[in-house]
Amino acid sequence: MKLKTNVEFKAINSNTVVDLVNFDQTWPKENYNDYVTDINKFGYVCYYRDKIVGYVCVYNRSGTKYELTRVLVSPSYRRLGIGSMLIDRVCSLIGGIGPRVNNVFAPRKMHYSSQLFDGVVEFLSANYFYASKYGMTRIIEAGRAIND
């Protein structure tokens, strides 16, 4: 079953930081605040029936390279499409604001941290990421994956 209704996405901002700190206490509040104040960092929070169920954080390392720094979905809401919707949301945004071709990558350190997501390599592969020198990379053009 995939969630389609009662799902809302909000950009990480000073209002959503409080929810994030309560949702994921493995990251200090200062890290979330960076996503409010630093123009090179952004992300989205996913709410289901007004309850936070996941989020994604991205860091723009250069004009065309974006690092997926954090993807977390509550264990009871995994395998419902929330992670994929979060990934699609940031990739659509990146495709709309950047140069024609952008790279979104998830560094190796993210892959092997079971605290972040069990099965993260399989999850990223299912979302058009492939193994690269950076870890896992997804190429996007105009907000869609290039699947070559």
Side-chain angles (χ1 to χ4, degrees):
M1 176 181 88
K2 302 287 182 198
L3 294 179
K4 299 280 186 202
T5 59
N6 299 315
V7 177
E8 181 182 9
F9 297 93
K10 295 181 181 178
I12 293 177
N13 60 40
S14 56
N15 296 323
T16 58
V17 165
V18 174
D19 293 338
L20 284 173
V21 170
N22 292 328
F23 176 70
D24 180 10
Q25 298 175 355
T26 63
W27 234 20
K29 183 177 181 179
E30 297 76 40
N31 289 9
Y32 295 116
N33 285 334
D34 284 350
Y35 285 84
V36 176
T37 59
D38 187 335
I39 63 169
N40 291 315
K41 296 180 179 183
F42 60 95
Y44 287 99
V45 182
C46 179
Y47 293 85
Y48 176 67
R49 295 186 176 163
D50 297 323
K51 175 185 173 186
I52 186 172
V53 295
Y55 71 98
V56 61
C57 295
V58 179
Y59 172 53
N60 182 354
R61 290 207 162 272
S62 71
T64 61
K65 288 189 179 151
Y66 295 82
E67 180 180 344
L68 193 61
T69 56
R70 205 121 163 120
V71 177
L72 185 67
V73 175
S74 176
S76 55
Y77 289 90
R78 291 183 185 163
R79 309 239 181 265
L80 298 174
I82 291 168
S84 296
M85 287 187 282
L86 286 163
I87 297 285
D88 287 344
R89 185 156 294 256
V90 296
C91 287
S92 292
L93 177 67
I94 292 167
I97 62 174
R100 188 135 176 86
V101 177
N102 294 285
N103 293 300
V104 178
F105 70 95
R108 285 181 181 84
K109 66 181 177 187
M110 182 181 167
H111 298 204
Y112 304 115
S113 176
S114 60
Q115 188 178 32
L116 293 178
F117 196 105
D118 293 329
V120 72
V121 173
E122 293 80 12
F123 166 75
L124 291 171
S125 295
N127 283 280
Y128 308 109
F129 284 78
Y130 63 91
S132 71
K133 68 181 181 179
Y134 301 111
M136 298 285 283
T137 300
R138 176 174 171 174
I139 299 173
I140 58 171
E141 179 178 2
R144 60 181 167 72
I146 300 173
N147 300 319
D148 294 341

